[in-house]
Amino acid sequence: MKSFGYYVIRGLLFPLSHLPLGFHRAFSRFAGWLMHSVFHYRRDVVMINLSRSFPDKKYDELDSICRMAYRRIATIFCEAIWFGAATPGKLKKARIAEIDNPELLNSFIDKGKSVFVLTSHCGNWELLGGYKSYARTQALSIPENDICVVYKELSSRAWDQFMFRNRLAPIADKTHYDGLVESFHIMRYAYRNKDVPKIYNFINDQSPYSESSKVKVNDFMHQTTYSMNGAPALAKLFGTALVYLNMKVNDNGSYTMHFTTIAEDASLMEVKDMLDAYYGLLQKDLEEQPWNYLWTHKRWKI
């Protein structure tokens, strides 16, 4: 049952969702400026994260990255509002994203193998799961109901319900889609579907939720880093393929999604080795587009 707060949020934002995507991206410049220069939203956290992650960069360069990072955060929020009235056809027409190597996913699916995708807070992570609605060089040989997104429930029930609905925007058959799986239930879901080739998408760069899931990995962005082990541990248990997803931001604001294999059979690889490979690939992406990340997140909790 939807909460009262959900209807308030939807009532306020739904009219805005009908405005063109170009409007939302243009408004994000102003919204990003407000967050950075007026409200100073977590600006100290961002600058500390950036200075420790890029020790060789001077203050002026870090300040420029900081400003661009706030615009990126605002863009994600504005695009999330636009998703409220989006449909698969509208997403395809807008060419919001392109998958440039879908054949990698197909190579595993065609062998009857599930794929665990490890991604991060780069690009727009709210786009996960809608692969069928994005431009691609080859058709995906998997039904949309078998493309799953693992998410963590938000503390606000109203916002959680609002975002849950928006995440269904790329799905053609929303009534029968059950691929949005809360992280607490993913073990049961994966076991129930262990004989069905599926694509599971995990955002894996958060701080560990508990001591039991905590793994120390090779230094990430020049800092001592602990990672949660859930997704790689499940991949190892079920013997799935494990791949990394990079979501690059293009000059026109669209996204290019590219997959890199970490393990063809995760049961043959140690969890820490999988995590080291994941963070190594993520660091390479951040060095290329340092502003393309959620730097407001207190990632390096010890």
Side-chain angles (χ1 to χ4, degrees), residues 5 7 14 16 36 43 60 80 83 131 156 167 175 183 200 211 215 232 240 244 253 266 279 288 292:
Y7 290 107
F14 187 67
L16 297 177
H36 173 273
R43 199 166 71 179
D60 288 348
F83 290 164
Y131 297 162
S156 166
R167 288 168 184 147
T175 303
S183 58
Y200 296 85
E211 285 295 320
V215 176
T240 71
Y244 169 78
Y279 281 105
E288 182 179 343
N292 182 20

Side-chain angles (χ1 to χ4, degrees), residues 58-280:
K58 295 182 179 179
Y59 176 82
D60 288 348
E61 191 173 2
L62 293 174
D63 184 58
S64 176
I65 293 171
C66 178
R67 292 173 185 275
M68 294 174 70
Y70 274 96
R71 179 180 170 185
R72 176 100 292 274
I73 296 168
T75 299
I76 292 165
F77 181 75
C78 290
E79 287 178 347
I81 294 174
W82 181 76
F83 290 164
T87 61
K90 190 174 179 180
L91 287 167
K92 286 179 180 177
K93 185 177 180 180
R95 297 189 69 85
I96 192 169
E98 178 180 8
I99 303 173
D100 71 354
N101 64 334
E103 64 276 4
L104 180 66
L105 299 178
N106 285 340
S107 69
F108 296 117
I109 295 298
D110 292 344
K111 295 174 185 176
K113 203 172 189 65
S114 288
V115 183
F116 275 31
V117 177
L118 300 186
T119 188
S120 69
H121 287 93
C122 288
N124 190 334
W125 52 92
E126 298 298 341
L127 292 171
L128 295 175
Y131 297 162
K132 291 277 193 175
S133 296
Y134 309 141
R136 51 196 183 276
T137 55
Q138 183 183 109
L140 285 170
S141 53
I142 188 172
E144 69 173 4
N145 200 48
D146 290 331
I147 303 174
C148 310
V149 177
V150 182
Y151 73 98
K152 182 171 173 57
E153 185 176 351
L154 298 175
S155 57
S156 166
R157 185 183 174 206
W159 276 106
D160 186 70
Q161 291 174 337
F162 176 78
M163 293 306 298
F164 186 93
R165 185 192 181 282
N166 278 23
R167 288 168 184 147
L168 293 174
I171 307 302
D173 185 3
K174 297 175 176 57
T175 303
H176 300 99
Y177 181 72
D178 69 346
L180 281 177
V181 186
E182 211 284 327
S183 58
F184 184 76
H185 302 292
I186 185 56
M187 175 72 171
R188 186 181 309 161
Y189 181 91
Y191 182 78
R192 188 171 67 245
N193 293 281
K194 65 181 184 301
D195 297 323
V196 181
K198 286 180 176 283
I199 297 172
Y200 296 85
N201 295 275
F202 295 82
I203 300 174
N204 206 73
D205 59 335
Q206 299 104 317
S207 298
Y209 298 152
S210 65
E211 285 295 320
S212 61
S213 67
K214 191 173 180 180
V215 176
K216 185 178 181 180
V217 298
N218 292 343
D219 284 0
F220 167 54
M221 300 306 295
H222 311 286
Q223 299 174 72
T224 300
T225 303
Y226 290 89
S227 175
M228 54 186 179
N229 66 355
L234 278 178
K236 184 176 179 65
L237 176 65
F238 291 108
T240 71
L242 188 74
V243 305
Y244 169 78
L245 169 60
N246 162 246
M247 200 178 294
K248 180 182 177 180
V249 182
N250 301 315
D251 291 341
N252 64 359
S254 66
Y255 304 94
T256 296
M257 305 167 78
H258 182 83
F259 299 93
T260 302
T261 301
I262 294 176
E264 294 186 5
D265 184 345
S267 67
L268 305 177
M269 195 170 180
E270 294 303 318
V271 169
K272 184 184 183 306
D273 293 335
M274 289 186 265
L275 288 170
D276 286 340
Y278 163 78
Y279 281 105

